[in-house]
Amino acid sequence: MTSPFYTAEHNAFRDVMRRFVEKEIEPFAHEWDEAGEFPRALYRKAAGIGLLGLGFPEEYGGIAADQFMKIVASQELARAGAGGISASLMSHTIGSPPIARAARPEVRARVLPQVLSGEKISALAITEPGGGSDVANLRTKARRDDDHYVVSGEKTFITSGMRADYLTVAVRTGGEGAGGVSLLLIEGDTPGLSRTKLKKMGWWASDTATLHFDECRVPVENLIGEEGQGFKIIMQNFNSERMGMAAGCTAFARVCLDEAIAYARERKTFGKPLAQHQVIRHKIVDMAQKVAASQAMLELLAWRLEQGESPVAEICMMKNQATQTMAFCASEAVQIFGGAGFMRGIKAERIYREVKVNAIGGGTEEIMKDLASRQMGL
């Protein structure tokens, strides 16, 4: 695939990423999915090629990266066809930006180098059992007690929740609504913190948890930003998160397309390869058309972000476009595989199980449409 947006530097990094995925992830993806986890050593290996540091300040071990470098990273990871591995390995991309952006200097200096080197794991904890994406009305409370906050409440559906060393947690320090929300960095060994592992439809290799905070004492210096400013900091995360999800989903759709093409050329029915049946060729072209359209939209939005724009409505639509493309291509790939597509072990089957988490996480399709319509003045 050629594109005017990628430089020699982007392509060199793509080569590094592709070798990394082919050696360190792809051969083990099915095994790790069945086991429900992957080795912590993978974080250090990912840090070794610069993956974990992309876009973070260089003074803490980060690497300068534009939107297209991040697309390369997301899309090369997706080639393994294992969204759970990508989600947990990269959970710091939603957990650590608030730290880099708004934590106290001494906290940044202590935490970020450990995360970006792969020694520690960072996660974001926003969603609550009764709240979903309604961030402004979260209920987990943090009351001030001298030089600590005392935190009580629950978070759920937290990616890397079981083994995260650092949790960026949204809490209520003030009154009702967005203005009462703050962010705290809560360390994984804090007394009163307990975790419950969740079983999921897909993303099996990603540990996902409900977190329970029972009078957890958190030092006041772990406040991220100012009291009452947490909602604004959380919102700043969303453009990046949704672009990353859109890049990954588009690439997962392409994996399904590639697998379907390879299988259709090899598998014979009624005396000829599947690819020589018109109905199969039409399915493949429909898949290719949707992937190409999604990739073009993604790259144009990335370019606009690089120009300093903040096209929120289009990013919301892009997230929906990509997840719908992934859903279509996963379904068609499994259909082309027939009975073999229903068997565990192939990428298309794994991706098919992961469709819904992408359409829900980072904001559901319905929320994306509502946000986009508001940005359009409707």
Side-chain angles (χ1 to χ4, degrees):
M1 179 189 67
T2 58
S3 168
F5 296 111
Y6 299 98
T7 65
E9 185 179 4
H10 294 124
N11 291 329
F13 182 62
R14 189 188 305 278
D15 290 341
V16 170
M17 279 295 305
R18 189 160 298 186
R19 290 194 298 271
F20 173 76
V21 171
E22 287 175 348
K23 178 183 177 183
E24 303 291 352
I25 300 179
E26 201 164 355
F28 315 106
H30 175 64
E31 173 189 338
W32 291 344
D33 212 42
E34 295 291 329
E37 64 180 7
F38 59 88
R40 280 189 71 124
L42 188 64
Y43 291 91
R44 292 189 291 276
K45 291 177 181 179
I49 63 165
L51 174 58
L52 301 190
L54 288 181
F56 285 91
E58 294 182 40
E59 62 189 295
Y60 304 118
I63 299 171
D66 64 5
Q67 293 291 325
F68 295 99
M69 200 69 84
K70 294 176 183 178
I71 288 175
V72 168
S74 294
Q75 298 202 321
E76 289 302 316
L77 279 174
R79 289 175 64 87
I85 297 171
S86 299
S88 270
L89 183 63
M90 304 302 286
S91 64
H92 73 292
T93 62
I94 55 174
S96 288
I99 301 170
R101 188 180 300 119
R104 298 186 184 197
E106 59 270 23
V107 173
R108 294 200 300 267
R110 175 170 60 88
V111 171
L112 291 176
Q114 296 181 75
V115 172
L116 302 183
S117 67
E119 295 301 315
K120 300 289 186 179
I121 298 171
S122 168
L124 181 70
I126 305 293
T127 303
E128 298 184 351
S133 298
D134 191 4
V135 179
N137 290 306
L138 61 84
R139 296 181 178 276
T140 297
K141 291 184 178 180
R143 59 179 173 82
R144 183 73 179 263
D145 181 22
D146 293 330
D147 58 353
H148 284 77
Y149 288 98
V150 181
V151 180
S152 295
E154 285 188 323
K155 300 293 180 179
T156 197
F157 311 141
I158 307 307
T159 300
S160 293
M162 288 303 297
R163 57 184 182 181
D165 303 289
Y166 295 112
L167 296 157
T168 301
V169 184
V171 296
R172 184 163 300 285
T173 53
E176 295 299 311
V181 176
S182 300
L183 277 179
L184 285 176
L185 177 68
I186 300 181
E187 303 197 22
D189 58 357
T190 301
L193 168 62
S194 59
R195 321 181 195 211
T196 303
K197 188 171 185 177
L198 301 175
K199 292 186 176 181
K200 312 177 295 296
M201 178 191 299
W203 274 14
W204 294 350
S206 168
D207 83 69
T208 307
T210 294
L211 309 177
H212 313 271
F213 301 97
D214 182 11
E215 298 283 293
C216 294
R217 295 183 65 81
V218 181
V220 293
E221 56 264 27
N222 283 22
L223 179 69
I224 298 174
E226 302 296 326
E227 269 200 18
Q229 297 299 306
F231 186 83
K232 293 180 181 178
I233 299 171
I234 293 165
M235 292 302 108
Q236 291 172 347
N237 247 14
F238 277 134
N239 275 357
S240 176
E241 179 182 3
R242 289 164 185 161
M243 284 292 288
M245 292 184 74
C249 289
T250 302
F252 284 124
R254 184 180 291 112
V255 169
C256 290
L257 170 63
D258 291 344
E259 271 210 324
I261 290 173
Y263 186 76
R265 285 172 172 162
E266 174 188 303
R267 171 81 164 123
K268 290 186 178 180
T269 61
F270 304 103
K272 59 183 179 180
L274 273 178
Q276 291 184 17
H277 294 281
Q278 185 183 61
V279 67
I280 300 299
R281 294 202 302 272
H282 286 190
K283 282 181 180 291
I284 288 171
V285 170
D286 284 342
M287 293 165 72
Q289 176 181 314
K290 292 179 184 295
V291 170
S294 296
Q295 187 72 21
M297 185 177 182
L298 174 71
E299 291 179 353
L300 180 59
L301 280 175
W303 179 83
R304 289 178 63 186
L305 286 167
E306 286 296 313
Q307 307 314 302
E309 296 184 41
S310 183
V312 175
E314 291 88 343
I315 289 173
C316 290
M317 289 187 277
M318 174 74 253
K319 199 249 182 186
N320 281 358
Q321 168 73 17
T323 56
Q324 289 164 12
T325 297
M326 178 183 177
F328 179 86
C329 291
S331 179
E332 291 293 75
V334 169
Q335 192 72 21
I336 289 169
F337 271 86
F342 196 63
M343 299 296 105
R344 296 227 292 260
I346 68 167
K347 293 179 184 178
E349 179 271 336
R350 216 163 39 231
I351 293 169
Y352 187 84
R353 286 190 278 105
E354 298 175 351
V355 164
K356 275 299 176 186
V357 69
N358 290 283
I360 293 169
T364 66
E365 285 192 5
E366 295 79 9
I367 289 172
M368 293 300 93
K369 290 176 182 178
D370 193 51
L371 285 174
S373 65
R374 292 184 188 184
Q375 291 290 321
M376 295 164 66
L378 300 177

